[in-house]
C-alpha cells in the first residue's frame, strides 16, 4: 500500500506539474503575443515618427536651400547692378572726354578758318589800299600836272 500511495502521490505531483507547465506555457504564449503586439505597435509608431521627422527635415532643408538661393540671386543681382553702374560711369566719363576733345578740335578748326579768312581779308585790304594809293598818287600827279 505504501507503494500504491507513493505511486498515487507521484502521479498527482506529475499531473500537478504538468498542469502548471501547461499554464506556464499558456501564460508565456499570451505574454509573448502581448510583447510581440507592443513591439509591432512601437515599430509602427517609430516608423511614423521617423517619416514625420524626415518630412520636417526635408521641408527645413528646402526652406534653407530656397533662402540661400534667394540670397545668392540677390547678391548676384547687386553685383550686376554695381558693374552696370561702374561701366555706365566709365562710358559717361569717356563720352565727356571725347565731347571736350571734339569741341576743342572744332574750335581749333573754326579759329584756323577765321585766321585764314582774316589773313585773306587783310591781304585783300592791303591790295585794295595799294591800289587806292596808286590811284591817289596818279590822280594827284594828274592834278599837279594840270595845275602846273
Amino acid at each position: 500500500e505504501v507503494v500504491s500511495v507513493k505511486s498515487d502521490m507521484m502521479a498527482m505531483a506529475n499531473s500537478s506539474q504538468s498542469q502548471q507547465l501547461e499554464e506556464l506555457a499558456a501564460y508565456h504564449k499570451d505574454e509573448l503575443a502581448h510583447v510581440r503586439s507592443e513591439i509591432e505597435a512601437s515599430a509602427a509608431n517609430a516608423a511614423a515618427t521617423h517619416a514625420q521627422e524626415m518630412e520636417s527635415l526635408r521641408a527645413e532643408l528646402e526652406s534653407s536651400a530656397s533662402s540661400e538661393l534667394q540670397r545668392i540671386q540677390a547678391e548676384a543681382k547687386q553685383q550686376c547692378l554695381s558693374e552696370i553702374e561702374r561701366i555706365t560711369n566709365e562710358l559717361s566719363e569717356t563720352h565727356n572726354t571725347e565731347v571736350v576733345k571734339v569741341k576743342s578740335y572744332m574750335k581749333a578748326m573754326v579759329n584756323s578758318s577765321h585766321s585764314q579768312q582774316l589773313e585773306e581779308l587783310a591781304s585783300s585790304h592791303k591790295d585794295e589800299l595799294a591800289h587806292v594809293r596808286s590811284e591817289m598818287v596818279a590822280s594827284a600827279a594828274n592834278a599837279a600836272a594840270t595845275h602846273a
Side-chain angles (χ1 to χ4, degrees), residues 90-107:
E90 283 180 12
L91 288 175
S92 180
E93 288 175 17
T94 302
H95 175 72
N96 289 339
T97 302
E98 290 298 316
V99 166
V100 167
K101 284 180 184 178
V102 167
K103 281 182 179 179
S104 177
Y105 177 75
M106 296 283 284
K107 284 180 181 178

Side-chain angles (χ1 to χ4, degrees), residues 10-23:
M10 284 299 268
M12 270 177 62
N14 282 339
S15 173
S16 176
Q17 280 181 344
S18 207
Q19 186 178 0
Q20 285 178 349
L21 285 175
E22 285 177 10
E23 287 174 1

Side-chain angles (χ1 to χ4, degrees), residues 32-146:
L32 184 61
H34 177 68
V35 168
R36 191 174 280 146
S37 172
E38 283 183 4
I39 289 173
E40 287 173 358
S42 179
N45 189 24
T49 301
H50 177 72
Q52 287 175 343
E53 288 175 358
M54 290 300 291
E55 181 60 29
S56 175
L57 287 172
R58 185 191 63 75
E60 185 179 326
L61 182 60
E62 282 180 356
S63 174
S64 176
S66 176
S67 295
E68 183 66 10
L69 179 61
Q70 288 175 350
R71 184 192 67 77
I72 289 170
Q73 286 175 334
E75 187 177 296
K77 183 177 181 181
Q78 184 57 45
Q79 286 177 345
C80 184
L81 291 173
S82 294
E83 188 66 13
I84 288 171
E85 184 177 352
R86 183 188 66 76
I87 290 170
T88 301
N89 289 339
E90 283 180 12
L91 288 175
S92 180
E93 288 175 17
T94 302
H95 175 72
N96 289 339
T97 302
E98 290 298 316
V99 166
V100 167
K101 284 180 184 178
V102 167
K103 281 182 179 179
S104 177
Y105 177 75
M106 296 283 284
K107 284 180 181 178
M109 292 294 290
V110 166
N111 287 339
S112 172
S113 177
H114 280 285
S115 290
Q116 185 178 0
Q117 286 176 354
L118 287 174
E119 286 174 12
E120 288 173 3
L121 186 60
S123 176
S124 173
H125 280 282
K126 282 180 185 177
D127 292 344
E128 189 65 31
L129 280 174
H131 179 68
V132 167
R133 271 192 196 136
S134 79
E135 281 185 8
M136 283 178 70
V137 167
S139 185
N142 273 341
T146 312

